[in-house]
Amino acid sequence: MDTFLPDAESTGKLMSLADLDHEALNKGCVVPGTCVVGLQWGDEAKGKLVDLLTLQHDIVVRYQGGANAGHTVVIGDQTYKLSLIPSGIFSPGVQCVVTGGVVLHPPSILAEIDALAARGVEVGQNLMLSDRAHVIFPWHIAEDRALSDNTADGEALGTTQRGIGPCYRDKVGRSHAVRLGDLYRDSFRGRVDLIVAAKNKMLAGLSDSHEPLVAEQVYQQYRECAERLRPHVRDTTAFLLDAAEQGKRMLFEGAQGSLLDVDHGTFPFVTSSNSSGVGVPSGSGVPGKYITRTIGVIKAYSTRVGGGPFPTELNDSTGQQLRDRGNEYGTVTRRPRRCGWFDAVAARYTARLSGVDELAVMLLDVLSTQKELKICTAYDIDGSRVQDFPSHVDDLRRAKPLFETVPGWDEEIGHLRQLAALPASARAYLDRISGLIGRPVSFVSVGPERQQTIFSRPN
Ligand code: GDP
Ligand code: IMO
Ligand code: MG
């Protein structure tokens, strides 16, 4: 077993990615295309892993979702929260690309660019935005808010209210859709008039307090944003296809998690894009054959924000302990995250779905001090033992987790850098999760900082 990061003490807090042991990080891998994808309900610490892997790549790509994502990167004593900009942005020389599969709110991405620039992070030609990306307008956000209490089978979806669902709905519906490239065409002015007239009627029907939107104001605001964004906008599909054919190393950064995938997740309690590994080709335009390594990111336990069934949820003091130790409050909305034990039935399903080769187990340190840990290895549904993840939400609602109980460990582990140094019960826990999912563990994270990572790929 190996560590791939130099000791924190020898490097100081502001460790540079260049200090990583890249050979160990990449051992045995031919890397034209790596995909980092969450296997749970999001917030698995994908941002941390993408940041660590960035220097192994030439290009970092966000391919779906929007500003519903909140990816955290901690560099020394600085914490960055990214919503739309790829987590590779901190590495000079790396090209960051936001593709047409993403839904983009121009004021939000400009605010993100400005906030990074104010902290000395360069965002210039290293950020490329697809002219095919669909644009989120105020009517999408208003609709998302008006529908936020809307229930699917009696339970609120609990969206992030960033206009994600309504924008994807318009994309598929086509007639009211606007893509980033449209903002630069003369036809944009007329389209805004038509769409605003239709949306005002629709929104008035949804909410008595709807303030009618004024087409001219929307047009002016979005034209100003478009001018500021102009240097970043281009055909990213052509760029990525050229890059793939030239053997450039691409890192695809998933947003949300596989269980929130609109087609394969816990529908209807999902987001509106393909947030599992299946979304990479459609969202980016890069054929799947260029993805040679898929890393499935999991927390050592489970969390979920928003509504929907969650079989291993802990509505007790243990759940609260996980929330407190893991600081489990939403990156985007600050909502307390629902916490529970690790669900191996769900993770095995999503690892298969997303074509995962290896696992990154994050936030293992949060489990320290638990006397015992539980792992869900099957569900009981109406008296039957089920190991396949149910396709219908009603069945998942009735699923009672069947737990295996394993010993926990007392000691804090955030300072450990070698797998062999972890308590025996922590290693046994990792082995059990890996065995249940049927994939090796390549990374173990024991804290939010870059150096709090153990590289555990077997030789
Ligand atoms: P993402 O959306 O998947 O990128 O994850 P988020 O950034 O929303 O949430 C992960 C949170 O866990 C962030 O606050 C990270 O700084 C933090 N984090 C990442 N890795 C670790 C870890 O190993 N231990 C602990 N305690 N926190 C971590
Ligand atoms: P990252 O990339 C966790 C959840 C919302 C809600 C559902 C639908 O940080 O892991 P939406 O606004 O997308 O229509 O909300 O999806 N959700 C996330 N949960 N992490 C995320 O992103 C999420 N993005 C959306 O809480 O339940
Ligand atoms: Mg997040």
Side-chain angles (χ1 to χ4, degrees):
M1 299 301 175
D2 241 326
T3 55
F4 77 105
L5 291 166
D7 202 288
E9 275 160 41
S10 64
T11 54
K13 280 202 112 192
L14 276 163
M15 192 201 65
S16 141
L17 280 187
D19 297 334
L20 298 180
D21 179 347
H22 289 279
E23 218 171 288
L25 188 62
N26 227 3
K27 197 164 11 182
C29 275
V30 185
V31 186
T34 304
C35 174
V36 167
V37 64
L39 297 187
Q40 294 159 316
W41 282 286
D43 303 325
E44 299 90 348
K46 301 173 291 291
K48 168 173 171 169
L49 191 65
V50 168
D51 169 60
L52 283 177
L53 292 169
T54 288
L55 273 201
Q56 300 297 307
H57 297 85
D58 304 302
I59 303 168
V60 182
V61 184
R62 263 291 301 275
Y63 56 92
Q64 45 70 230
N68 49 351
H71 295 182
T72 312
V73 175
V74 178
I75 303 174
D77 57 5
Q78 296 291 309
T79 298
Y80 300 93
K81 309 254 177 210
L82 299 167
S83 277
L84 284 159
I85 296 179
S87 301
I89 199 70
F90 305 101
S91 297
V94 169
Q95 184 65 52
C96 289
V97 179
V98 177
T99 70
V102 171
V103 285
L104 218 147
H105 183 236
S108 296
I109 194 153
L110 283 169
E112 208 172 323
I113 291 171
D114 290 344
L116 285 173
R119 295 175 70 181
V121 180
E122 190 213 330
V123 186
Q125 287 304 308
N126 55 342
L127 178 69
M128 214 178 260
L129 308 174
S130 172
D131 58 354
R132 291 181 173 88
H134 281 255
V135 177
I136 296 182
F137 284 92
W139 49 84
H140 294 126
I141 294 168
E143 187 187 345
D144 206 358
R145 291 203 175 130
L147 294 176
S148 71
D149 292 334
N150 249 28
T151 54
D153 297 343
E155 191 178 349
L157 287 174
T159 75
T160 58
Q161 301 191 15
R162 296 297 189 272
I164 306 294
C167 183
Y168 276 116
R169 193 197 339 260
D170 276 345
K171 165 178 169 167
V172 180
R174 293 153 296 158
S175 45
H176 288 153
V178 177
R179 304 200 296 182
L180 196 52
D182 296 330
L183 303 187
Y184 304 95
R185 308 277 161 155
D186 292 341
S187 53
F188 177 50
R189 183 69 187 82
R191 277 190 73 61
V192 174
D193 282 340
L194 279 174
I195 297 171
V196 165
K199 294 291 180 184
N200 274 336
K201 278 191 212 151
M202 186 265 293
L203 289 166
L206 287 177
S207 159
D208 294 338
S209 58
H210 170 62
E211 289 275 336
L213 294 158
V214 179
E216 179 60 20
Q217 278 173 9
V218 176
Y219 173 76
Q220 288 303 341
Q221 185 195 7
Y222 276 65
R223 277 297 305 143
E224 278 167 31
C225 290
E227 280 317 311
R228 283 200 58 202
L229 290 175
R230 195 188 276 273
H232 302 282
V233 180
R234 62 176 287 176
D235 178 348
T236 62
T237 308
F239 172 81
L240 290 176
L241 286 173
D242 284 346
E245 284 160 12
Q246 290 160 12
K248 292 265 168 62
R249 300 160 306 168
M250 291 179 284
L251 176 57
F252 295 91
E253 175 175 4
Q256 291 81 55
S258 301
L259 292 170
L260 289 172
D261 186 291
V262 65
D263 289 309
H264 306 285
T266 52
F267 191 88
F269 299 97
V270 292
T271 190
S272 302
S273 64
N274 284 121
S275 51
S276 68
V278 306
V280 181
S282 62
S284 66
V286 177
K289 69 176 181 180
Y290 290 105
I291 298 158
T292 49
R293 180 187 192 191
T294 298
I295 305 171
V297 190
I298 49 179
K299 272 182 187 166
Y301 48 99
S302 305
T303 62
R304 174 162 209 172
V305 205
F310 180 1
T312 63
E313 183 167 14
L314 288 164
N315 287 309
D316 60 8
S317 59
T318 308
Q320 189 57 44
Q321 280 162 25
L322 296 178
R323 190 173 301 114
D324 290 343
R325 281 187 59 88
N327 189 23
E328 293 292 1
Y329 295 88
T331 308
V332 174
T333 57
R334 300 308 298 161
R335 287 177 290 177
R337 294 178 183 144
R338 300 156 67 192
C339 297
W341 294 122
F342 187 78
D343 185 340
V345 179
R348 196 175 82 92
Y349 163 62
T350 51
R352 294 169 67 208
L353 171 72
S354 289
V356 163
D357 301 302
E358 51 196 275
L359 299 169
V361 182
M362 314 302 275
L363 295 104
L364 186 68
D365 53 301
V366 173
L367 294 182
S368 286
T369 73
Q370 297 293 335
K371 294 263 169 300
E372 301 187 317
L373 303 171
K374 291 188 179 181
I375 303 172
C376 170
T377 54
Y379 300 142
D380 175 327
I381 303 182
D382 305 333
S384 297
R385 186 183 165 88
V386 172
Q387 278 184 296
D388 287 329
F389 193 73
S391 56
H392 200 287
V393 75
D394 286 349
D395 298 330
L396 191 61
R397 274 208 182 94
R398 297 199 313 286
K400 295 191 191 81
L402 297 176
F403 286 120
E404 187 175 291
T405 303
V406 297
W409 57 93
D410 270 337
E411 53 272 59
E412 296 294 348
I413 59 173
H415 58 291
L416 301 176
R417 300 290 175 266
Q418 306 245 336
L419 206 61
L422 287 174
S425 45
R427 275 180 285 140
Y429 183 74
L430 292 171
D431 282 347
R432 186 65 183 133
I433 285 180
S434 168
L436 286 165
I437 300 176
R439 308 288 191 280
V441 174
S442 294
F443 304 89
V444 179
S445 178
V446 293
E449 294 182 22
R450 283 173 164 176
Q451 55 270 62
Q452 291 182 294
T453 315
I454 298 171
F455 178 77
S456 57
R457 181 194 288 272
N459 285 311

